[in-house]
Amino acid sequence: MIEILRGDITKVKADAIVNAANSSLMGGGGVDGAIHRAGGPAILEECKKIVEKQGRCETGQAVITTGGRLPARFVIHTAGPVWRGGSENEAAKLASCYRNSLRLAVDNNCKTIAFPNISTGIYGYPKKEAAEIAIKTVSDFLSKSDRIEKVIFVCFEEENARMLEQFLNSK
Ligand code: AR6
């Protein structure tokens, strides 16, 4: 089941929320900054350990940490692609973010997971194209696995919510 919500993902009580992070995993602005601020220092501590052990989180990949003080149990950090006009495999990389985050959620027995609109802020991905990829990739995943009960798209911006609803309804 897919749900579309308006609001702040740091307030969402899902088993896992996804962070639109960057490859360094050291925090940043946008939703990344909001998640680290609300969740507290335990999240960054785990990110540092992950980087020490396995290096940076390449674009399209995902890693999992505690949710710290957040209502969510886990944070899944994924590095979205920077939009460079569409010729650098951005679409495939963005789809990988959604797919790898869902796989990690399943591996950690999460039944509910919330996503922000990855790459559509600071990374400049066109919102409509990103919404289409998000709905398609998540729907495909859910049609092949029954381990996830609910995926929530949490939209900070009205426009993103509208576009996701359009693609969801036209499926
Ligand atoms: N809850 C839900 N969505 C939010 C929130 C929030 N609290 N805050 C912002 N958004 P962005 P990116 C939306 O820029 O484009 C960081 O510095 C926002 O409106 O957060 O993937 C990282 O460290 C937009 O729709 O992420 C990276 O360096 C969406 O979240 C870089 O930004 C994504 O916007 C990643 O850029």
Side-chain angles (χ1 to χ4, degrees):
M1 171 197 180
I2 295 179
E3 204 175 278
I4 296 162
L5 256 188
R6 280 292 312 282
D8 177 353
I9 201 166
T10 65
K11 306 276 199 293
V12 173
K13 194 172 178 289
D15 293 329
I17 64 167
V18 175
N19 181 16
N22 61 64
S23 295
S24 79
L25 297 177
M26 291 300 108
V31 71
D32 194 2
I35 287 173
H36 280 281
R37 268 194 309 278
I43 299 177
L44 187 60
E45 276 164 32
E46 275 192 38
C47 284
K48 284 183 180 156
K49 287 196 187 122
I50 290 168
V51 173
E52 270 168 33
K53 209 169 118 198
Q54 65 189 53
R56 13 188 296 131
C57 177
E58 296 303 336
T59 305
Q61 300 298 308
V63 304
I64 190 165
T65 67
T66 174
R69 295 195 292 257
L70 292 168
R73 194 148 51 98
F74 298 109
V75 176
I76 293 173
H77 308 259
T78 187
V82 176
W83 178 255
R84 298 190 201 279
S87 56
E88 297 201 11
N89 253 343
E90 291 96 326
K93 287 174 188 161
L94 185 59
S96 291
C97 289
Y98 284 99
R99 215 177 297 115
N100 286 325
S101 297
L102 289 163
R103 284 187 189 133
L104 213 41
V106 167
D107 291 347
N108 288 274
N109 290 318
C110 296
K111 296 199 171 2
T112 55
I113 175 172
F115 282 99
N117 302 116
I118 302 166
S119 284
T120 66
I122 294 165
Y123 279 180
Y125 208 107
K127 293 185 167 78
K128 192 170 166 201
E129 281 81 351
E132 186 170 15
I133 289 167
I135 293 292
K136 186 177 183 320
T137 310
V138 170
S139 306
D140 282 355
F141 191 93
L142 294 181
S143 70
K144 290 181 196 128
S145 160
D146 56 5
R147 302 272 310 273
I148 303 272
E149 287 168 7
K150 186 157 76 173
V151 175
I152 310 164
F153 288 106
V154 185
C155 305
F156 216 50
E157 298 160 56
E158 169 73 41
E159 201 189 348
N160 282 324
R162 221 179 35 241
M163 281 183 297
L164 285 167
E165 266 155 22
Q166 256 170 32
F167 284 114
L168 186 60
N169 293 332
S170 68
K171 264 200 311 114

